[in-house]
Amino acid sequence: MFQESEHGKWTISSSDESTEEISDAEEPSTSSVSHSGHGKTSGSQYPCSEARKVAHKRKVFPVKCNDQSISTEISPAKNPRTSQQGLSWCLSSSDEETESEGQSKHAQNHTVKEEKYTEPKNQPSHRCGDNELSVSQKPEEHYKAASEGQDTWDLLNGRNPFRFFVTKVNGIKSKYNSGALHIKDILSPLFGTLVSSAQFNYCIDVEWLIKQYPREFRKKPLLIVHGEKRESKAELKMMILLYEEGLRVVIHTSNLIEDDWDQKTQGIWLSPLYPRLPQGTTGSAGESVTNFKSDLINYLMAYNSPTLKEWTDIIQEHDLSETRVYLLGSTPGRYQGNQKEKWGHLRLRKLLKENASPLPAQESWPVIGQFSSIGSMGGDHSKWLCSEFQESMATLGSSVKTLAKPDVPIQLIYPTVDNVRQSLEGYPAGGSLPYSIQTAQKQLWLHSYFHKWSAETSGRSHAMPHIKTYMRASPDFQKIAWFLVTSANLSKAAWGALEKNGTQLMIRSYELGVLFLPSAYVILPLSPLGPEYIFLPNAYFYFYYTVFIFAWFCFADRPWIWNIPYIKAPDTHGNMWVPS
């Protein structure tokens, strides 16, 4: 349903959630959401998750460290999922994952003492340095707009063959924003004369979003696809931008709210500008070697939405042959037979088996993942992480690691309490990392796999990561066999879980990402762009960014858990974290 405002004509659709058992025939529905004449959505500006709401509350009403009224016993915030536990499925978000089906109905009533947390006994022992950040430390400078800094057009079209970027961060040295983009850069008229656009996201502040478009584009048609109806949450984060000059697809990890584009590290893939095909072109014209065009159309068709049919037709009319990444998505449902490999981690397994190459000593190459939320994975590592998920991640060509030989290391990057406390935002940054105490207490075994961002070596380390990436890299981290940027967090809901003795894959959420494989790129000699852009034949490439620097958790490190208090040490703004 189109609606008029001073910002022009725009539409909001929502993915619905079924309370019935999943069937292959069930698809998300769409509905209209009311707004004011200025483009605001109804309700709270921060509807993303309970953790985000608490973070917003603490920004508005901070609790100072000298506040003597704070009790040393504080209950964790209530889990908003409790009322949904009887449902067969839901759409997860990048900010909050579905709890396991067996979660106690009274978990939210637990009383948690100040910073109560039990470390797993098998945590690796490593010496920790003192990486405290002064409370008085302030951001050094604001990031510069594209017009004031480097030539964004040159950056996009000549200096980054992977077309992978991180977001600009407000409050760090300009050199650490080199090669980074803000949403205003993406929507800049430098990239084309906009005709219409579609924004797919979980959490959206429409008024803020409209202001990110140049004034001359604010009256152009805008379709917003989200997942807020009846607690359903579609996690994919994508833009489709139609220009007079062509079409562009953007897949990223940010919500469409100001906080996610201000002081967080996010990942972005921007497609080339796809030209329109000659009129009357039919069939597979404009397809890439990675089948990106047909995969994107099939993904949008999975919504079974007449509104999106218009966009699939637009994609069909353009030449996407220059795409060098593979599309990897998830859609809710239960899949059998040849449908099993269309989505989730089995889709990744298939792509790696067919398009990646075995490497010497590849067993020692770890799988590395970083994410902003964690779902329930069972009572021990064999239930999912180090069985079906590891098998998919460890695939390189025909070499598939079996369940009987799980010798490929898994290294998981997740922020510590001190990472959050010492970040530019302080404790409220933890609102975008909703790992709950209810889930953490049931899987302490998982924490022995955790690594942290290294504050000592990364200039972006104080920008809280909201990025989600997975890769297979050499132990020295100098070579990468494959790399994935995606909306998918570490959860069975996002990646899928096998059922019925492995004959069926069940997925609970919508996800979208792009997979980089060396075989899809032109092999270059030593590049004048620098060693990070050197390709090596059909095996691996250098793909280095500071966002990947990490270190082992130490005994003193604790993973961030959003719904327990932290009142022993102040954050960078002199505040404590009291979620209730």
Side-chain angles (χ1 to χ4, degrees):
M1 177 178 175
F2 285 104
Q3 303 185 46
E4 296 286 346
S5 77
E6 68 173 358
H7 299 306
K9 187 165 61 174
W10 53 277
T11 304
I12 296 183
S13 301
S14 71
S15 301
D16 201 358
E17 176 186 21
S18 170
T19 58
E20 304 297 327
E21 185 72 11
I22 292 179
S23 71
D24 291 343
E26 287 178 352
E27 306 293 350
S29 62
T30 60
S31 64
S32 297
V33 177
S34 63
H35 69 97
S36 73
H38 296 283
K40 291 183 180 179
T41 53
S42 58
S44 170
Q45 185 179 347
Y46 293 87
C48 305
S49 68
E50 192 66 19
R52 290 268 190 173
K53 292 176 184 176
V54 170
H56 179 56
K57 176 183 176 181
R58 284 295 162 245
K59 283 187 176 181
V60 177
F61 304 106
V63 178
K64 295 295 181 181
C65 272
N66 58 2
D67 191 338
Q68 300 301 317
S69 65
I70 301 300
S71 169
T72 57
E73 278 201 11
I74 307 172
S75 298
K78 290 186 177 181
N79 185 347
R81 296 283 179 172
T82 304
S83 62
Q84 300 287 320
Q85 288 175 8
L87 304 183
S88 60
W89 65 286
C90 70
L91 304 184
S92 70
S93 76
S94 65
D95 298 306
E96 185 167 353
E97 296 295 346
T98 307
E99 303 295 343
S100 66
E101 289 81 357
Q103 178 176 316
S104 168
K105 294 181 179 180
H106 303 289
Q108 75 275 16
N109 294 325
H110 292 169
T111 297
V112 180
K113 291 183 180 292
E114 173 188 342
E115 302 185 84
K116 178 180 178 181
Y117 177 73
T118 305
E119 286 290 340
K121 294 181 180 180
N122 61 344
Q123 185 80 321
S125 175
H126 296 272
R127 294 187 62 184
C128 298
D130 182 7
N131 57 356
E132 293 293 317
L133 182 69
S134 169
V135 174
S136 62
Q137 180 172 335
K138 301 298 181 184
E140 296 184 41
E141 57 184 279
H142 284 42
Y143 59 78
K144 294 182 179 180
S147 60
E148 299 172 344
Q150 66 189 79
D151 187 339
T152 306
W153 173 260
D154 179 62
L155 170 70
L156 181 63
N157 289 275
R159 293 173 48 195
N160 189 331
F162 296 109
R163 311 190 71 86
F164 171 75
F165 303 87
V166 292
T167 49
K168 290 181 178 177
V169 173
N170 179 359
I172 63 174
K173 292 180 179 180
S174 59
K175 66 179 180 180
Y176 297 122
N177 275 324
S178 176
L181 294 173
H182 188 263
I183 188 172
K184 286 187 175 181
D185 298 325
I186 298 171
L187 300 174
S188 166
L190 284 173
F191 293 171
T193 307
L194 193 70
V195 174
S196 62
S197 60
Q199 297 281 354
F200 298 72
N201 218 288
Y202 157 56
C203 182
I204 303 168
D205 179 348
V206 175
E207 183 178 36
W208 176 85
L209 172 61
I210 294 296
K211 291 178 180 178
Q212 307 315 301
Y213 284 80
R215 288 188 179 275
E216 61 267 34
F217 296 160
R218 292 179 189 176
K219 292 185 180 292
K220 302 295 183 179
L222 167 61
L223 173 70
I224 295 177
V225 183
H226 70 96
E228 274 300 304
K229 189 175 181 181
R230 287 166 53 194
E231 298 300 318
S232 66
K233 298 175 176 68
E235 208 176 295
L236 75 159
K237 293 174 169 58
M238 174 171 63
M239 306 178 193
I240 306 178
L241 307 174
L242 177 63
Y243 306 106
E244 292 179 3
E245 300 84 357
L247 181 74
R248 194 184 305 279
V249 177
V250 184
I251 296 174
H252 58 97
T253 65
S254 305
N255 289 294
L256 294 176
I257 60 176
E258 184 175 10
D259 282 353
D260 272 30
W261 295 86
D262 186 33
Q263 292 186 320
K264 290 182 173 65
T265 292
Q266 310 275 8
I268 306 167
W269 174 79
L270 285 89
S271 77
L273 180 64
Y274 299 130
R276 186 176 291 272
L277 289 166
Q279 190 170 4
T281 304
T282 59
S284 60
E287 183 58 278
S288 71
V289 295
T290 62
N291 294 312
F292 184 87
K293 182 175 183 177
S294 57
D295 288 338
L296 180 59
I297 290 173
N298 289 336
Y299 188 87
L300 294 179
M301 288 176 63
Y303 280 78
N304 196 28
S305 166
T307 305
L308 291 178
K309 176 62 167 59
E310 177 184 349
W311 281 99
T312 61
D313 291 343
I314 290 172
I315 294 169
Q316 187 66 58
E317 295 167 357
H318 286 79
D319 181 358
L320 277 63
S321 61
E322 290 303 309
T323 311
R324 291 295 177 264
V325 295
Y326 296 84
L327 194 74
L328 196 155
S330 294
T331 61
R334 288 188 166 95
Y335 304 98
Q336 298 178 342
N338 59 7
Q339 298 296 303
K340 268 198 323 179
E341 295 182 325
K342 286 185 65 175
W343 314 113
H345 75 78
L346 292 188
R347 162 72 172 168
L348 176 62
R349 186 184 301 185
K350 176 180 173 64
L351 289 174
L352 294 177
K353 184 175 182 179
E354 294 178 349
N355 301 287
S357 301
L359 299 167
Q362 64 187 44
E363 289 81 7
S364 65
W365 285 39
V367 170
I368 303 168
Q370 57 181 342
F371 36 84
S372 60
S373 188
I374 305 170
S376 296
M377 278 169 279
D380 62 67
H381 67 280
S382 68
K383 294 297 189 293
W384 182 78
L385 181 71
C386 292
S387 53
E388 60 185 90
F389 184 71
Q390 182 191 47
E391 183 175 349
S392 293
M393 292 277 170
T395 300
L396 284 176
S398 60
S399 176
V400 179
K401 308 311 299 181
T402 65
L403 304 185
K405 192 181 179 183
D407 54 359
V408 174
I410 296 179
Q411 299 173 347
L412 305 176
I413 306 173
Y414 186 74
T416 67
V417 173
D418 273 349
N419 286 155
V420 175
R421 183 177 68 84
Q422 298 168 356
S423 70
L424 294 169
E425 299 171 85
Y427 285 129
S432 62
L433 306 165
Y435 189 31
S436 72
I437 187 65
Q438 291 86 359
T439 301
Q441 286 180 328
K442 292 182 295 184
Q443 53 191 37
L444 296 179
W445 60 267
L446 177 66
H447 303 169
S448 64
Y449 291 86
F450 282 172
H451 296 63
K452 62 181 177 179
W453 278 35
S454 176
E456 292 80 9
T457 55
S458 173
R460 299 176 63 91
S461 60
H462 294 305
M464 188 47 51
H466 192 257
I467 195 171
K468 304 105 172 81
T469 63
Y470 302 82
M471 73 185 79
R472 188 84 184 273
S474 60
D476 62 5
F477 213 69
Q478 295 300 305
K479 304 166 187 174
I480 295 178
W482 58 265
F483 170 77
L484 171 70
V485 58
T486 176
S487 65
N489 277 301
L490 187 67
S491 74
K492 294 187 289 184
W495 286 97
L498 291 171
E499 300 177 330
K500 297 184 177 181
N501 295 320
T503 63
Q504 177 173 282
L505 182 71
M506 189 271 286
I507 296 176
R508 293 178 181 268
S509 65
Y510 287 90
E511 312 290 346
L512 199 61
V514 291
L515 174 68
F516 298 80
L517 287 173
S519 58
Y521 285 84
V522 176
I523 306 304
L524 300 178
L526 291 179
S527 170
L529 301 176
E532 63 269 38
Y533 300 130
I534 297 175
F535 295 82
L536 300 179
N538 297 321
Y540 54 84
F541 45 61
Y542 292 96
F543 191 57
Y544 178 81
Y545 283 88
T546 56
V547 294
F548 303 141
I549 296 176
F550 64 96
W552 282 97
F553 265 37
C554 301
F555 273 120
D557 293 321
R558 291 163 297 156
W560 171 261
I561 295 172
W562 81 270
N563 58 345
I564 61 175
Y566 302 102
I567 62 178
K568 287 184 177 179
D571 67 10
T572 49
H573 300 276
N575 300 325
M576 298 182 291
W577 178 252
V578 182
S580 58

